Amino acid sequence: MPATIVIGAQWGDEGKGRVADWLAAQSDVVARYAGGDNAGHTVYVGKTVFKLHLIPSGILHEHVVCVLGGGTVINPVNLLREIDEMRALGIDVTPERLIISTRAHIISPAHIALDKASEQARGADKIGTTLRGIGPAYMDKTGRSGLRMGQMLEVESFADALYAQIETANAKLARDGCETIDPQKSAEDYIDAANRLRPYLRDTTQYLNKRLREGARVLCEGAQGTMLDIDHGDYPFVTSSSPTSGGALTGLGFGPMYVDRVVGVTKCFSTRVGSGPLPTELSGDLGARLRGTGENFWDEFGTTTGRPRRCGWLDTVMLRYAVQVNGFSEMVLTKLDVLSGFDELQIATSYELDGQVIDFMPVTTAEQSRVKPIYVKLPGWKEDISTVRQWSDLPEAARAYIDQIAALCETPINTVSVGPERDQLVHRGQ
Ligand code: IMP
């Protein structure tokens, strides 16, 4: 197993953190390839809840080296806060265990201010971003005016470049009637951060290629999800990076010949946070039941923003699209325990669009908003399955539900989760 990619199959929040944590145990290196601290990966180990935003989940395994690849965008101040939080929980985060790409782009306070200003200007049409400055940081990257982490190695020129970037942003913010930011204060904060982060910076492309050539097992940890991909998601209600499998290669800088496993993670129902179409969305009691009350950490409220997630039945039209875009070799189904107690479950198998039945995801968000899902109904199960550890102990209806999804997506499902704890993963054949 040279390289495995773990990807969110839906709109993010599928439980990739816990799946990456499981696969990290069998890996030597775990590398994040896209996105920034907009992600929220929650991993439960015993009574401790680890909430990771940027650091790969692999950090929880002592033998693993973690990498933040060139495709990521990094807020250095927030990264240092996360490093300190992990250390306070007893996790060893040192430059030997966390390597940051000199090619990764920097999120500055200017990007955060511009993200807020852009959302305000959109009004009712807002994307519902996490307000972490992700979009503006990637805009500067593709506009060829971004700052890269490697520039932190030259403190003086870095400070000048950051100062200039903030002054350019301030001119725009002032033009739009928004509050500007203090370039001097930002430069000071970022120089402090640069001084602490310098030992972690490295050419991660060279590092990863060397490790892969030597036979190391590399886990590429995706963030966000397929439908949030800048190219393949429901644009414009997307993030600004490439969370899909192609993004792992560009974000880390190695070739496809190393990849032999692509794991898609999907919840057994649908959720979305932020704006944009969610064809199977359920309002009322059913949606509320899937969401949970918020009393548990694992209820459907955003890890990064705390926003309630929109919930609905599982959508296999969307999942089949995710299988195409990513080339999943298998899928992991999470949160199966949440479906206990429903009399009947529904899975969307096709859509009706303007009077026609279609079995694919239409391209435009206008069409996606008009589709009416066509459902297959399956019997539910009443048993609490959170203590199940053997596939054969899952209720027959639960196994039928899993098998139906695998058949509809033409992709094997051999692992399901029945709760948030590490040992609440059930593997087929065990
Ligand atoms: P941004 O990534 O902050 O620019 O947000 C763009 C869209 O992606 C918004 O709809 C966010 O709610 C969504 N998004 C970004 N990161 C995540 C995530 O980790 N989970 C779920 N949704 C996300």
Side-chain angles (χ1 to χ4, degrees):
M1 184 188 80
T4 294
I5 310 177
V6 174
I7 298 168
Q10 302 167 297
W11 288 269
D13 307 319
E14 299 90 350
K16 293 175 294 294
R18 62 122 65 239
V19 174
D21 175 63
W22 160 55
L23 293 169
Q26 311 151 31
S27 308
D28 302 302
V29 178
V30 179
R32 266 281 302 270
Y33 57 85
D37 60 335
N38 48 347
H41 292 169
T42 312
V43 183
Y44 301 82
V45 185
K47 295 225 173 319
T48 313
V49 182
F50 295 94
K51 289 191 172 186
L52 297 153
H53 295 285
L54 202 48
I55 302 177
S57 313
I59 203 76
L60 305 180
H61 296 265
E62 272 175 29
H63 70 281
V64 166
V65 174
C66 291
V67 170
L68 288 173
T72 61
V73 283
I74 296 176
N75 179 323
V77 173
N78 289 353
L79 174 59
L80 281 166
R81 189 177 307 131
E82 199 171 318
I83 290 175
D84 291 339
E85 279 167 14
M86 284 296 118
R87 285 196 180 137
L89 291 170
I91 304 298
D92 175 35
V93 191
T94 57
E96 285 71 45
R97 294 214 51 221
L98 177 67
I99 307 177
I100 303 169
S101 172
T102 41
R103 292 188 175 87
H105 276 250
I106 294 174
I107 299 180
S108 78
H111 295 136
I112 296 170
L114 290 169
D115 198 358
K116 287 185 186 144
S118 154
E119 284 286 86
Q120 264 166 22
R122 283 173 176 268
D125 292 330
K126 70 176 183 185
I127 307 291
T129 74
T130 58
L131 302 177
R132 298 291 165 121
I134 305 295
Y138 279 111
M139 281 162 74
D140 269 352
K141 171 178 170 171
T142 51
R144 294 165 292 188
S145 53
L147 299 180
R148 304 213 285 185
M149 290 298 285
Q151 286 174 258
M152 286 185 158
L153 296 168
E154 307 274 346
V155 168
E156 264 182 37
S157 60
F158 170 64
D160 291 347
L162 183 71
Y163 206 100
Q165 188 190 69
I166 291 176
E167 291 214 305
T168 308
N170 273 346
K172 180 168 170 28
L173 290 165
R175 248 191 341 262
D176 295 345
C178 300
E179 209 177 312
T180 56
I181 35 185
D182 177 356
Q184 189 60 39
K185 162 92 175 62
S186 299
E188 282 164 17
D189 289 348
Y190 273 50
I191 288 169
D192 284 348
N195 288 335
R196 280 191 65 195
L197 286 175
R198 210 167 298 125
Y200 296 83
L201 299 177
R202 214 157 138 183
D203 180 343
T204 54
T205 303
Q206 294 304 319
Y207 174 78
L208 286 169
N209 276 277
K210 180 168 180 296
R211 295 296 310 267
L212 283 162
R213 272 199 311 276
E214 290 166 355
R217 296 160 305 169
V218 174
L219 180 68
C220 311
E221 180 177 334
Q224 288 78 49
T226 300
M227 291 310 290
L228 296 175
D229 186 280
I230 186 75
D231 292 298
H232 306 290
D234 37 21
Y235 190 93
F237 299 104
V238 292
T239 190
S240 297
S241 68
S242 303
T244 47
S245 56
L249 303 180
T250 52
L252 296 175
F254 59 78
M257 70 282 193
Y258 287 116
V259 180
D260 68 352
R261 192 175 179 194
V262 184
V263 181
V265 184
T266 174
K267 271 180 205 166
C268 55
F269 52 99
S270 302
T271 67
R272 175 168 204 161
V273 62
S275 318
L278 181 62
T280 59
E281 184 163 9
L282 291 166
S283 51
D285 288 351
L286 283 175
R289 204 162 145 192
L290 291 171
R291 184 175 308 112
T293 55
E295 281 160 47
N296 296 314
F297 284 119
W298 54 91
D299 287 344
E300 295 298 343
F301 293 81
T303 311
T304 300
T305 58
R307 291 178 289 178
R309 297 181 186 138
R310 300 153 61 199
C311 297
W313 294 122
L314 189 73
D315 183 347
T316 58
V317 182
M318 189 257 115
L319 280 182
R320 282 197 299 271
Y321 174 65
V323 171
Q324 284 178 349
V325 169
N326 295 293
F328 295 145
S329 52
E330 67 197 81
M331 291 199 298
V332 173
L333 195 63
T334 59
K335 298 195 81 166
L336 196 62
D337 53 305
V338 173
L339 295 186
S340 286
F342 280 87
D343 292 330
E344 183 184 80
L345 300 169
Q346 302 195 33
I347 301 174
T349 54
S350 53
Y351 296 149
E352 188 197 309
L353 176 63
D354 304 333
Q356 302 252 334
V357 175
I358 57 170
D359 64 357
F360 57 89
M361 185 68 141
V363 177
T364 67
T365 49
E367 289 169 313
Q368 287 169 17
S369 305
R370 286 206 307 279
V371 299
K372 295 193 187 81
I374 299 172
Y375 292 103
V376 61
K377 292 183 179 165
L378 282 89
W381 60 90
K382 296 288 173 203
E383 298 91 322
D384 170 11
I385 56 171
S386 60
T387 54
V388 170
R389 297 293 177 271
Q390 308 237 326
W391 197 270
S392 54
D393 290 341
L394 287 168
E396 200 185 323
R399 280 182 279 136
Y401 184 75
I402 300 164
D403 290 342
Q404 177 79 268
I405 298 164
L408 285 165
C409 297
E410 296 181 15
T411 305
I413 298 176
N414 294 325
T415 303
V416 299
S417 81
V418 292
E421 300 279 346
R422 252 187 191 162
D423 71 342
Q424 288 179 301
L425 281 178
V426 185
H427 304 282
R428 198 188 285 270
Q430 278 183 11

